[in-house]
């Protein structure tokens, strides 16, 4: 499908800069001020406030074979076909998962709060990143997070 946007241009209401790329759109996710679209070929197109996820150029080459995108209020995380995860946007709100990147393998699903991501692994364990107070650090309860 194609995309039509409206609203505040600086908050994603204007996609004219990427309109020609928004063909065969299969899924759209939004932060508070940006959008990310998965295209049929598994690539991603973003627009809106750059530092809130509207600019994925730093990770664009990694955004291939994307299956799912989830959003916090200020960042995006994408699950790729190989089960790895790519995040971008505001680093403090989940846009930088580098501290747990080595654990983000074979990810089954991602959920989000306003400021953190939680990824479910095949064994039922959980990996989180983002603001600690928003759920980005589950180390205190990690032993309780077991697959039942």
């Amino acid at each position: 499908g194609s995309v039509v946007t409206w609203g505040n241009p600086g908050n994603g209401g204007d996609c004219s800069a990427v309109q020609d790329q928004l063909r065969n759109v299969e899924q759209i996710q939004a932060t508070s001020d940006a959008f990310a679209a998965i295209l049929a070929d598994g690539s991603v197109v973003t627009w809106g406030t750059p530092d809130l996820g509207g600019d994925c150029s730093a990770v664009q080459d990694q955004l291939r074979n994307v299956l799912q995108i989830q959003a916090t209020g200020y960042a995006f995380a994408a699950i790729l076909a190989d089960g790895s995860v790519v995040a971008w946007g505001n680093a403090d709100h989940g846009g930088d998962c580098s501290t747990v990147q080595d654990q983000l393998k074979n990810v089954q699903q991602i959920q989000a709060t306003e400021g953190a991501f939680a990824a479910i692994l095949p064994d039922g364990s959980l990996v989180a990143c983002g603001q600690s107070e928003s759920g980005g650090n589950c180390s205190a309860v990690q032993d309780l997070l077991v697959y039942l």
Side-chain angles (χ1 to χ4, degrees), residues 80-99:
L80 308 185
D82 66 1
S84 62
V85 173
V86 177
W88 71 97
N90 183 285
D92 294 333
H93 291 84
D96 178 5
C97 293
S98 59
T99 60

mmCIF file of all heavy atoms in Angstrom, residues 80-99:
data_model
loop_
_atom_site.group_PDB
_atom_site.id
_atom_site.type_symbol
_atom_site.label_atom_id
_atom_site.label_comp_id
_atom_site.label_asym_id
_atom_site.label_seq_id
_atom_site.Cartn_x
_atom_site.Cartn_y
_atom_site.Cartn_z
ATOM 1 N N LEU A 80 14.870 -8.598 12.674
ATOM 2 C CA LEU A 80 15.220 -9.042 11.331
ATOM 3 C C LEU A 80 14.902 -10.530 11.171
ATOM 4 O O LEU A 80 14.679 -11.242 12.159
ATOM 5 C CB LEU A 80 16.698 -8.787 11.061
ATOM 6 C CG LEU A 80 17.207 -7.367 11.331
ATOM 7 C CD1 LEU A 80 18.656 -7.240 10.894
ATOM 8 C CD2 LEU A 80 16.347 -6.327 10.644
ATOM 9 N N ALA A 81 14.887 -10.999 9.939
ATOM 10 C CA ALA A 81 14.549 -12.396 9.655
ATOM 11 C C ALA A 81 15.477 -13.377 10.361
ATOM 12 O O ALA A 81 15.073 -14.491 10.677
ATOM 13 C CB ALA A 81 14.569 -12.636 8.149
ATOM 14 N N ASP A 82 16.710 -12.978 10.634
ATOM 15 C CA ASP A 82 17.647 -13.878 11.324
ATOM 16 C C ASP A 82 17.500 -13.830 12.846
ATOM 17 O O ASP A 82 18.260 -14.458 13.569
ATOM 18 C CB ASP A 82 19.085 -13.576 10.921
ATOM 19 C CG ASP A 82 19.581 -12.211 11.374
ATOM 20 O OD1 ASP A 82 18.829 -11.457 12.039
ATOM 21 O OD2 ASP A 82 20.738 -11.883 11.056
ATOM 22 N N GLY A 83 16.512 -13.070 13.344
ATOM 23 C CA GLY A 83 16.259 -12.980 14.778
ATOM 24 C C GLY A 83 17.077 -11.937 15.505
ATOM 25 O O GLY A 83 16.939 -11.781 16.710
ATOM 26 N N SER A 84 17.898 -11.203 14.784
ATOM 27 C CA SER A 84 18.657 -10.121 15.420
ATOM 28 C C SER A 84 17.785 -8.867 15.502
ATOM 29 O O SER A 84 16.708 -8.797 14.909
ATOM 30 C CB SER A 84 19.945 -9.835 14.647
ATOM 31 O OG SER A 84 19.657 -9.402 13.332
ATOM 32 N N VAL A 85 18.275 -7.874 16.238
ATOM 33 C CA VAL A 85 17.519 -6.648 16.473
ATOM 34 C C VAL A 85 18.377 -5.438 16.121
ATOM 35 O O VAL A 85 19.565 -5.392 16.458
ATOM 36 C CB VAL A 85 17.072 -6.553 17.949
ATOM 37 C CG1 VAL A 85 16.436 -5.198 18.252
ATOM 38 C CG2 VAL A 85 16.105 -7.675 18.277
ATOM 39 N N VAL A 86 17.769 -4.475 15.471
ATOM 40 C CA VAL A 86 18.407 -3.190 15.162
ATOM 41 C C VAL A 86 17.557 -2.101 15.800
ATOM 42 O O VAL A 86 16.340 -2.077 15.615
ATOM 43 C CB VAL A 86 18.506 -2.958 13.636
ATOM 44 C CG1 VAL A 86 19.098 -1.589 13.340
ATOM 45 C CG2 VAL A 86 19.309 -4.060 12.980
ATOM 46 N N ALA A 87 18.198 -1.215 16.568
ATOM 47 C CA ALA A 87 17.479 -0.118 17.228
ATOM 48 C C ALA A 87 18.046 1.221 16.780
ATOM 49 O O ALA A 87 19.227 1.338 16.465
ATOM 50 C CB ALA A 87 17.592 -0.258 18.742
ATOM 51 N N TRP A 88 17.180 2.239 16.765
ATOM 52 C CA TRP A 88 17.612 3.595 16.440
ATOM 53 C C TRP A 88 16.635 4.585 17.052
ATOM 54 O O TRP A 88 15.544 4.231 17.447
ATOM 55 C CB TRP A 88 17.738 3.786 14.932
ATOM 56 C CG TRP A 88 16.441 3.820 14.181
ATOM 57 C CD1 TRP A 88 15.738 4.926 13.788
ATOM 58 C CD2 TRP A 88 15.670 2.688 13.726
ATOM 59 N NE1 TRP A 88 14.590 4.555 13.130
ATOM 60 C CE2 TRP A 88 14.526 3.196 13.072
ATOM 61 C CE3 TRP A 88 15.833 1.303 13.813
ATOM 62 C CZ2 TRP A 88 13.561 2.366 12.507
ATOM 63 C CZ3 TRP A 88 14.862 0.481 13.257
ATOM 64 C CH2 TRP A 88 13.750 1.016 12.616
ATOM 65 N N GLY A 89 17.067 5.834 17.128
ATOM 66 C CA GLY A 89 16.263 6.884 17.748
ATOM 67 C C GLY A 89 16.971 7.394 18.985
ATOM 68 O O GLY A 89 18.203 7.321 19.089
ATOM 69 N N ASN A 90 16.221 7.883 19.944
ATOM 70 C CA ASN A 90 16.803 8.431 21.168
ATOM 71 C C ASN A 90 17.453 7.307 21.977
ATOM 72 O O ASN A 90 16.780 6.375 22.414
ATOM 73 C CB ASN A 90 15.717 9.131 21.984
ATOM 74 C CG ASN A 90 16.268 9.788 23.218
ATOM 75 O OD1 ASN A 90 16.580 9.103 24.183
ATOM 76 N ND2 ASN A 90 16.380 11.103 23.195
ATOM 77 N N ALA A 91 18.760 7.417 22.164
ATOM 78 C CA ALA A 91 19.534 6.354 22.823
ATOM 79 C C ALA A 91 19.036 6.049 24.230
ATOM 80 O O ALA A 91 19.016 4.887 24.655
ATOM 81 C CB ALA A 91 21.011 6.732 22.849
ATOM 82 N N ASP A 92 18.628 7.060 24.971
ATOM 83 C CA ASP A 92 18.186 6.860 26.354
ATOM 84 C C ASP A 92 16.828 6.168 26.455
ATOM 85 O O ASP A 92 16.456 5.690 27.521
ATOM 86 C CB ASP A 92 18.105 8.199 27.092
ATOM 87 C CG ASP A 92 19.468 8.839 27.262
ATOM 88 O OD1 ASP A 92 20.477 8.110 27.300
ATOM 89 O OD2 ASP A 92 19.519 10.080 27.346
ATOM 90 N N HIS A 93 16.101 6.117 25.370
ATOM 91 C CA HIS A 93 14.751 5.532 25.372
ATOM 92 C C HIS A 93 14.664 4.294 24.482
ATOM 93 O O HIS A 93 13.629 4.023 23.875
ATOM 94 C CB HIS A 93 13.730 6.580 24.936
ATOM 95 C CG HIS A 93 13.537 7.674 25.920
ATOM 96 N ND1 HIS A 93 14.357 8.775 25.978
ATOM 97 C CD2 HIS A 93 12.634 7.826 26.916
ATOM 98 C CE1 HIS A 93 13.954 9.561 26.953
ATOM 99 N NE2 HIS A 93 12.913 9.014 27.543
ATOM 100 N N GLY A 94 15.766 3.546 24.396
ATOM 101 C CA GLY A 94 15.756 2.296 23.645
ATOM 102 C C GLY A 94 16.421 2.344 22.293
ATOM 103 O O GLY A 94 16.562 1.312 21.639
ATOM 104 N N GLY A 95 16.848 3.507 21.844
ATOM 105 C CA GLY A 95 17.471 3.628 20.530
ATOM 106 C C GLY A 95 18.895 3.124 20.460
ATOM 107 O O GLY A 95 19.489 3.067 19.384
ATOM 108 N N ASP A 96 19.451 2.722 21.587
ATOM 109 C CA ASP A 96 20.796 2.145 21.631
ATOM 110 C C ASP A 96 20.754 0.920 22.534
ATOM 111 O O ASP A 96 20.711 1.045 23.751
ATOM 112 C CB ASP A 96 21.802 3.160 22.160
ATOM 113 C CG ASP A 96 23.208 2.606 22.268
ATOM 114 O OD1 ASP A 96 23.446 1.447 21.845
ATOM 115 O OD2 ASP A 96 24.080 3.318 22.779
ATOM 116 N N CYS A 97 20.763 -0.239 21.932
ATOM 117 C CA CYS A 97 20.738 -1.501 22.689
ATOM 118 C C CYS A 97 22.097 -2.189 22.655
ATOM 119 O O CYS A 97 22.191 -3.404 22.855
ATOM 120 C CB CYS A 97 19.657 -2.422 22.139
ATOM 121 S SG CYS A 97 17.981 -1.827 22.413
ATOM 122 N N SER A 98 23.152 -1.421 22.415
ATOM 123 C CA SER A 98 24.488 -2.003 22.264
ATOM 124 C C SER A 98 24.963 -2.751 23.510
ATOM 125 O O SER A 98 25.717 -3.713 23.390
ATOM 126 C CB SER A 98 25.503 -0.925 21.876
ATOM 127 O OG SER A 98 25.564 0.090 22.853
ATOM 128 N N THR A 99 24.509 -2.363 24.688
ATOM 129 C CA THR A 99 24.952 -3.044 25.914
ATOM 130 C C THR A 99 24.403 -4.462 26.022
ATOM 131 O O THR A 99 24.962 -5.280 26.757
ATOM 132 C CB THR A 99 24.548 -2.247 27.178
ATOM 133 O OG1 THR A 99 23.130 -2.109 27.209
ATOM 134 C CG2 THR A 99 25.213 -0.886 27.201
#
